[in-house]
């Protein structure tokens, strides 16, 4: 029996949430921290010739600057690129915003009044005076070997070994396993005939370079390379490194004393010397370890005792779209290919312009709402932080909770209390059933740090004892919570915190 083949036309109803290209870009711009936004603007200015820099006159106020920007670029109020009334990303109006932009540039654009007749190279000014990238560990070592009195073959061998150093300065295999290299194995992989002894000679040269400890194949070797002839208690320190690193890690001082015969005071002095060594000598050259915090928002206390919120973007390049690009697009003598090119570039520029404005409005509103909730934190200190959820801020500002999440992501705020990530002000809490008072988990962490800082180091507090003291202070928490927070704060156990010399 042959199966029947038929064609049917069915109708079904379904709901879909579609994001317009402008909405997607607005969310991306909102999530960028200030340095990433500057890079994004610089990249856009390189790729988009219709974007220009608005030069700020000396002593020009921010209000005057905004008025000047409005003169230089006016958007058709009936055009689809005008942002929402309150400047926010409204996730409840996605369908309304998801419209076809294809015919946008068939609409009339109101020309700006102060046109710029020629394209300027001023856009490149924003990228001037960028700091040169910091030298890598390999760069640092290659510069040093250039001063060594070695023949070309040995110099090439030194370069080969340097290429096998990881970011911490250790000699490892550049494979997923990252296992420590055997010099005989490394010699076999070299492109020219070389013995393990020659490899060792080249490695000895590298291990005498700066930083001390570079070129090691293990933590033990790295620390031993940092021993100097004048190191205090050199023999004791050497013994501790070679035989008792694990005991030091777990604070097993009596074990070390029993096996070495050294006094507790001598062992403690030796450990203090080791703590001044660098177990990762190459890490300081890693770009990942050089983190600079640039505040996106500044919160300042005014004369009335309230707090003012402003964005820290005064130095950001100010963008505008010169009038002559619109005129060229609307000119009937402009050929079709140029019109299409200008349409894409003008649309991209307007989207970026509006997305940056949306970002400013959203960040200001969200931060003001956060500061209003965390007034006690700013007035009295971190111990007075209040439990706060992002949904609370979203409800107050009138945006979707994901907008708040993107707004605070990777953003930093400069306050009279210091510089904090915006996410620092969010967190859950717990209610004291006895008093009815609600307190934030951040408060418990601060109290935990305070208790451990004040403890008797010869008899440090166990987790059970910490629970009791927290409960006495009005913070009823479970032991597992104390253990979890202790580990989050990188606080060792009571045994590891014990000072055996007291």
């Amino acid at each position: 029996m042959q199966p029947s083949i038929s064609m049917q036309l069915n109708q079904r109803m379904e709901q879909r949430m579609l994001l317009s290209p402008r909405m997607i870009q607005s969310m991306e711009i909102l999530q960028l921290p200030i340095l990433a936004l500057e890079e994004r603007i610089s990249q856009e200015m390189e790729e988009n010739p219709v974007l220009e820099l608005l030069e700020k006159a000396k002593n020009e106020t921010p209000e005057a600057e905004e008025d000047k920007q409005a003169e230089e670029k006016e958007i058709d109020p009936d055009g689809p690129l005008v942002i929402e009334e309150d400047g926010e990303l409204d996730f409840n109006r996605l369908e309304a915003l998801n419209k076809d932009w294809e015919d946008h540039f068939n609409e009339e654009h109101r020309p700006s009044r102060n046109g710029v007749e020629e394209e300027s190279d001023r856009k490149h000014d924003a990228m001037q005076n960028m700091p040169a990238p910091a030298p890598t560990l390999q760069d640092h070592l290659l510069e040093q070997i250039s001063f060594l009195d070695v023949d070309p073959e040995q110099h090439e061998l030194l370069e080969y070994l340097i290429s096998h150093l990881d970011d911490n300065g250790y000699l490892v295999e550049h494979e997923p396993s990252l296992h420590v290299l055997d010099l005989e194995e490394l010699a076999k992989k070299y492109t020219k005939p070389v013995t393990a002894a020659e490899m060792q000679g080249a490695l000895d040269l590298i291990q005498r370079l700066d930083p001390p400890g570079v070129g090691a194949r293990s933590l033990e070797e790295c620390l031993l390379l940092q021993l100097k002839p004048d190191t205090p208690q050199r023999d004791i320190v050497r013994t501790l490194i070679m035989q008792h690193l694990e005991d030091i890690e777990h604070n097993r001082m009596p074990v070390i004393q029993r096996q070495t015969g050294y006094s507790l005071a001598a062992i403690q002095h030796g450990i203090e010397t080791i703590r001044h060594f660098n177990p990762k000598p190459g890490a300081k050259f890693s770009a990942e370890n050089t983190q600079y915090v640039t505040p996106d928002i500044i919160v300042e206390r005014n004369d009335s005792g309230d707090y003012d919120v402003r964005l820290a973007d005064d130095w950001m390049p100010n963008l505008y779209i010169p009038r002559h690009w619109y005129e060229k697009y609307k000119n009937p003598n402009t050929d079709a290919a140029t019109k299409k090119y200008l349409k894409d570039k003008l649309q991209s520029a307007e989207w970026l312009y509006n997305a940056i404005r949306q970002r400013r409005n959203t960040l200001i509103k969200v931060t003001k709402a956060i500061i209003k909730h965390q007034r006690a934190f700013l007035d009295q200190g971190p111990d007075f932080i209040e439990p706060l959820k992002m949904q609370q801020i979203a409800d107050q500002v009138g945006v979707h909770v994901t907008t708040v999440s993107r707004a605070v992501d990777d953003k930093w705020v400069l306050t009279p209390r210091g510089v904090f990530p915006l996410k620092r002000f969010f967190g859950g809490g717990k209610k004291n059933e006895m008093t009815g008072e609600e307190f934030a988990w951040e408060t418990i962490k601060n109290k935990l740090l305070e208790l451990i800082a004040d403890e008797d180091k010869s008899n440090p507090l166990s987790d059970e004892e910490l629970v009791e003291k927290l409960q006495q202070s009005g913070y009823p928490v479970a032991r597992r919570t104390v253990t979890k927070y202790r580990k989050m704060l990188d606080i060792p156990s009571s045994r590891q915190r014990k000072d055996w010399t007291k």
Side-chain angles (χ1 to χ4, degrees):
M1 183 176 180
Q2 296 292 332
S4 61
I5 301 176
S6 63
M7 297 181 63
Q8 294 181 344
L9 183 63
N10 295 321
Q11 206 174 26
R12 67 177 181 180
M13 183 181 295
E14 64 178 16
Q15 281 188 329
R16 291 185 180 181
M17 186 174 73
L18 302 176
L19 295 178
S20 68
R22 183 171 73 93
M23 179 64 73
I24 294 173
Q25 185 181 47
S26 293
M27 292 188 295
E28 291 175 348
I29 294 296
L30 175 61
Q31 195 159 1
L32 292 178
I34 192 167
L35 293 181
L37 177 61
E38 182 196 15
E39 183 179 349
R40 174 69 175 271
I41 291 174
S42 297
Q43 178 184 353
E44 188 71 19
M45 291 184 67
E46 281 187 325
E47 299 173 355
N48 195 336
V50 307
L51 277 174
E52 295 284 352
L53 276 179
L54 185 68
E55 292 184 349
K56 185 191 297 185
K58 291 184 179 179
N59 302 323
E60 186 174 38
T61 64
E63 292 78 8
E65 181 189 336
E66 288 185 4
D67 292 341
K68 186 177 178 182
Q69 274 187 296
E71 281 192 15
E72 293 289 356
K73 172 190 179 299
E74 294 188 17
I75 305 294
D76 181 359
D78 299 322
L81 293 185
V82 175
I83 63 174
E84 285 71 41
E85 182 178 351
D86 61 355
E88 294 296 335
L89 301 177
D90 188 349
F91 280 76
N92 297 320
R93 297 174 59 199
L94 287 176
E95 289 188 10
L97 288 173
N98 180 42
K99 53 182 66 177
D100 184 6
W101 309 106
E102 193 64 33
D103 297 327
H104 166 59
F105 284 95
N106 291 328
E107 303 179 60
E108 289 293 324
H109 287 268
R110 189 185 309 166
S112 58
R113 291 186 290 273
N114 294 331
V116 179
E117 299 302 325
E118 298 179 0
E119 181 178 0
S120 171
D121 290 333
R122 289 175 298 163
K123 62 180 66 179
H124 298 292
D125 295 345
M127 295 173 282
Q128 296 296 320
N129 301 320
M130 293 291 289
T136 64
L137 173 65
Q138 282 70 24
D139 294 335
H140 184 63
L141 296 174
L142 289 174
E143 181 181 6
Q144 292 178 71
I145 66 172
S146 65
F147 296 101
L148 297 178
D149 186 16
V150 295
D151 55 52
E153 289 76 14
Q154 192 173 19
H155 190 280
E156 188 175 348
L157 184 56
L158 290 170
E159 290 182 342
Y160 177 70
L161 285 174
I162 289 173
S163 70
H164 281 79
L165 299 180
D166 68 4
D167 289 341
N168 292 324
Y170 286 80
L171 186 67
V172 297
E173 179 60 88
H174 288 176
E175 297 293 340
S177 61
L178 291 177
H179 65 277
V180 176
L181 276 177
D182 179 80
L183 290 181
E184 290 187 3
E185 176 186 353
L186 195 59
K188 293 177 183 178
K189 294 183 178 181
Y190 193 53
T191 56
K192 299 177 180 179
V194 63
T195 65
E198 290 172 325
M199 278 282 181
Q200 183 63 59
L203 182 59
D204 289 342
L205 284 176
I206 291 175
Q207 290 179 344
R208 290 200 288 269
L209 300 177
D210 179 76
V214 72
R217 288 156 290 183
S218 65
L219 174 60
E220 178 184 313
E221 184 177 19
C222 178
L223 297 176
L224 289 174
L225 287 171
Q226 297 178 59
L227 271 177
K228 299 178 181 178
D230 58 348
T231 298
Q233 297 181 315
R234 189 175 190 277
D235 292 338
I236 295 178
V237 173
R238 186 179 189 87
T239 300
L240 293 176
I241 292 174
M242 296 181 65
Q243 301 177 17
H244 296 285
L245 286 181
E246 186 176 351
D247 292 327
I248 293 173
E249 179 184 359
H250 296 284
N251 198 26
R252 296 195 284 252
M253 301 278 283
V255 174
I256 301 174
Q257 183 186 32
R258 185 170 59 252
Q259 293 183 4
T260 63
Y262 300 141
S263 67
L264 286 175
I267 295 171
Q268 188 65 47
H269 290 152
I271 292 174
E272 287 300 319
T273 299
I274 294 174
R275 284 177 179 160
H276 285 84
F277 293 168
N278 188 352
K280 298 179 180 180
K284 66 178 181 179
F285 293 92
S286 174
E288 295 179 357
N289 289 282
T290 307
Q291 298 181 355
Y292 301 97
V293 173
T294 302
D296 298 79
I297 307 124
I298 296 175
V299 176
E300 297 171 314
R301 189 162 190 157
N302 56 35
D303 296 337
S304 63
D306 292 326
Y307 292 95
D308 296 327
V309 177
R310 64 181 176 88
L311 294 185
D313 60 358
D314 297 339
W315 49 273
M316 288 283 290
N318 298 300
L319 305 177
Y320 77 102
I321 305 172
R323 155 187 174 177
H324 70 87
W325 292 115
Y326 289 108
E327 293 175 344
K328 187 170 184 178
Y329 172 78
K330 302 300 290 186
N331 191 328
N333 295 325
T334 303
D335 61 88
T338 303
K339 272 183 174 288
K340 183 179 184 308
Y341 176 80
L342 287 175
K343 171 185 171 180
D344 293 339
K345 295 302 181 183
L346 287 170
Q347 178 175 280
S348 176
E350 287 194 3
W351 283 2
L352 179 65
Y353 181 90
N354 286 335
I356 293 173
R357 188 165 60 174
Q358 282 182 311
R359 177 186 183 274
R360 291 178 57 90
N361 293 337
T362 304
L363 274 180
I364 287 290
K365 288 189 174 184
V366 167
T367 305
K368 283 183 176 180
I370 292 172
I371 296 305
K372 183 178 179 180
H373 275 272
Q374 300 294 4
R375 174 68 183 260
F377 175 96
L378 296 177
D379 288 343
Q380 304 175 62
D383 288 344
F384 295 88
I385 192 169
E386 297 288 339
L388 180 62
K389 298 185 181 299
M390 290 187 185
Q391 187 63 58
Q392 294 174 252
I393 298 299
D395 293 340
Q396 181 175 336
V397 177
V399 297
H400 197 276
V401 67
T402 55
T403 300
V404 176
S405 177
R406 287 186 173 91
V408 304
D409 185 45
D410 206 16
K411 308 296 193 308
W412 292 77
V413 55
L414 173 62
T415 75
R417 291 280 172 183
V419 180
F420 304 98
L422 266 180
K423 285 186 177 180
R424 168 80 159 73
F425 296 97
F426 292 97
K430 184 176 177 63
K431 191 173 184 179
N432 188 326
E433 300 299 336
M434 299 288 293
T435 64
E437 182 182 1
E438 190 175 11
F439 53 87
W441 292 120
E442 190 70 25
T443 305
I444 298 177
K445 292 180 185 178
N446 292 333
K447 187 63 178 179
L448 186 62
L449 288 169
E450 179 185 329
L451 289 172
I452 291 175
D454 295 339
E455 71 183 355
D456 179 7
K457 297 305 179 184
S458 64
N459 186 27
L461 297 170
S462 65
D463 287 355
E464 291 84 356
E465 292 170 327
L466 288 169
V467 169
E468 293 178 7
K469 288 190 173 292
L470 285 170
Q471 289 177 344
Q472 293 170 7
S473 301
Y475 306 114
V477 294
R479 180 186 180 279
R480 64 179 178 274
T481 303
V482 170
T483 303
K484 180 179 75 171
Y485 284 169
R486 179 174 58 75
K487 291 180 178 178
M488 287 173 57
L489 296 168
D490 291 327
I491 298 174
S493 66
S494 57
R495 178 180 179 82
Q496 292 173 305
R497 300 199 306 273
K498 182 177 176 63
D499 187 347
W500 295 92
T501 61
K502 292 185 178 180

